[in-house]
Amino acid sequence: MYTCSRCGGLLAVELPVEPRRDPLKLRETWWARRISTDTRDRSGVWRYRELLPFTEDAPCTSLGEGNTPLYDAPRSASYCALDALNLKHQGCNPTGSFKDTGMTTAVTQARILNARLLVCASTGNTAASLAAYAARADMLCAIVVPRGQVSRAKLAQTLDYGAIVLELEGNFDDSMRVIRKLSEDESIYLVNSINPFRIEGQKTVAAELLEQLSWEVPDHVIVPGGNLGNSSAFGKGFQELFNLGIIERVPRLSVVQAEGAAPFSRLFARYDHNSLDDDKPVVIEMVDQPQTLASAIRIGAPISWQKAWRAVVQSKGWVLAVSEQEIADAKAIIGRDGIGCEPASATTVAGIKHLVSAGNIKATERVVAVLTGHILKDTDYVTNYHSGTLVDPLERPLSGTFANQPLRVRANKNDVLEAIKSRSAQ
Ligand code: F0G
């Protein structure tokens, strides 16, 4: 349903560019909607509906997604040796991850099609998001997750929203394979990011981000890479804003993966950055047994790699991989900025540190990292890091470089004060 019958590539939605659209008028319209009480205007996705392939009377299913904060993060910036760094926190969406921005449009499309059953494979966040939006739309949904590889919080959310949860033997890539077979049945509607209507919603984040920067295009945007739908969506979003004349250039889009689940980064490493050409055919080698504690991106066969490749190459960005220790430390540093995220999101800051030290990002350039999930998505990870018990997938201990352990005190004022004094002196 979502693949081209000629080349086998994934389909994308293309809207004709309306030549008479005034870019400044569009910006004004989107800005003015911020103070409206209309459900669609309250959503940070539907507010940009001129970019979406829906008619005015579409049965929009929204939970008030989008409108996520753009923070400045001075500690993370200095950790990366940058003058400044912005973090766009997509974990502040209704179900705690960026998936909601695409799920609102995918579930709306499912309603238009009168779909009977919505399905997805997931490492946890897509599952929670689909479960919530299907519940809002009063539709049946079934979710396939790799057993034992999804964080407890994500599973708990999904169950609470009433989805049918199927725990599959195998990893995410096996779940994805099964789900694609399932969706050959026409009554079953697949909402993984191979569904182009997911990408349509997710791409609006590019517009929201630029609006928050007063339409001043940053030099770099950095995203974590798993199945590579998010990278594809950002690439598409920036390109369309450029085609509409809303921005005068696109930022470099770079993707960061975890070392143990990095097929896209390995593909990129085979080529010289300066002579990359998106017209040249390339073939990715998938990773058989992906491993990372950042379970959201434990993916060896990313489904949207071709779209993401185009986005990275056209914008002259980079793809790289970071270690488990680097992810863990970057996450703790982001925390010190007062901003919590899940491990997969912290690959961005770890990756930026690499890109700066390699001279690919300059200290004075404007950089935005996209945080994709909320800190409470995986509290086991956080607790283990701070108590020094975090071990990598091969059971090797990771060091709690920036660990912060609780102190035990007796129940009296003096002991409490002494403990505070000793800790604050460290
Ligand atoms: N960050 C988080 C928190 C995620 O949940 C995901 C993907 C990614 C990054 C990677 O984004 O796949 O578009 O490259 N999670 C999917 C899921 C696979 O099922 O929740 P991507």
Side-chain angles (χ1 to χ4, degrees), residues 312-344:
V312 169
V313 172
Q314 282 178 352
S315 73
K316 299 193 165 32
W318 282 270
V319 186
L320 65 160
V322 291
S323 70
E324 295 296 315
Q325 184 69 54
E326 288 170 323
I327 296 171
D329 290 341
K331 208 189 91 55
I333 290 291
I334 297 168
R336 295 290 174 93
D337 269 315
I339 301 163
C341 68
E342 67 166 286

Side-chain angles (χ1 to χ4, degrees), residues 98-99 122-126 225-230 296-297 299 342 344 372:
F98 73 100
K99 307 287 181 182
S122 180
T123 55
N125 279 328
T126 305
N227 221 9
L228 299 172
N230 197 29
I297 51 172
I299 296 172
E342 67 166 286
T372 44

